[in-house]
Amino acid sequence: MNIAQHIALIDELCYRPFPAEHGPSDVGVSGPGRHVAVLDAAADDDPARWAVVVDQLEKERDAVRELLASRWGDTTPYGLQTVLLRTAHEEIPGPWAELSMRAGFAHVWEVEGTGRWVAVAVTDRDATQGPLLVALVTEIPPP
């Protein structure tokens, strides 16, 4: 998938209805109030190349961020480490708690007129799953 396809998918998810039940979707997983789309997956799952793969996905994330920022405004990276720490003693909404377990930060926008939030991140915290470039589209504001 190329950057234009990533943007088109994010746009489509901003208007796609949310399913009543959590489960797999044609682009990743979806559930009540959320869609998580895998924009790109590491083609190389060799642990020795982990850093190289993450670097490639981060460059792709930054290209997506630039296009979305030109449309919705520039934002500061949203630190998910703090969200992850808060899950130990606070109820954090599902999509944000799950994203914080998988990524260190995300670029986040509120999409005016849709009631939805978009987050783009590289998930690289789980060594059992290769790094992914993901987009979260949710009606739940970040904590």
Side-chain angles (χ1 to χ4, degrees):
M1 203 181 290
N2 64 36
I3 303 302
Q5 291 171 318
H6 297 339
I7 300 299
L9 177 57
I10 291 168
D11 285 343
E12 192 256 318
L13 293 177
C14 285
Y15 295 96
R16 182 186 285 192
F18 295 115
E21 299 293 323
H22 186 76
S25 74
D26 60 326
V27 296
V29 294
S30 292
R34 76 187 81 168
H35 298 293
V36 179
V38 175
L39 300 178
D40 200 358
D44 181 355
D45 61 357
D46 178 0
R49 292 186 33 83
W50 184 276
V52 172
V53 171
V54 168
D55 185 57
Q56 290 169 344
L57 292 174
E58 287 174 344
K59 288 176 182 171
E60 195 171 351
R61 177 208 55 217
D62 292 345
V64 170
R65 183 203 60 79
E66 284 182 30
L67 287 173
L68 293 178
S70 70
R71 179 190 299 174
W72 297 328
D74 206 10
T75 61
T76 325
Y78 186 75
L80 294 168
Q81 178 65 33
T82 304
V83 174
L84 181 61
L85 293 172
R86 289 171 53 196
T87 63
H89 63 305
E90 187 179 334
E91 188 67 31
I92 300 296
W96 298 103
E98 293 162 14
L99 188 60
S100 75
M101 287 186 268
R102 301 174 64 203
F105 76 92
H107 294 284
V108 179
W109 296 268
E110 182 176 12
V111 184
E112 198 171 310
T114 67
R116 297 191 180 190
W117 294 81
V118 170
V120 179
V122 173
T123 61
D124 61 352
R125 287 190 172 178
D126 185 355
T128 64
Q129 179 180 4
L132 303 171
L133 174 61
V134 298
L136 164 66
V137 177
T138 181
E139 62 187 5
I140 302 164

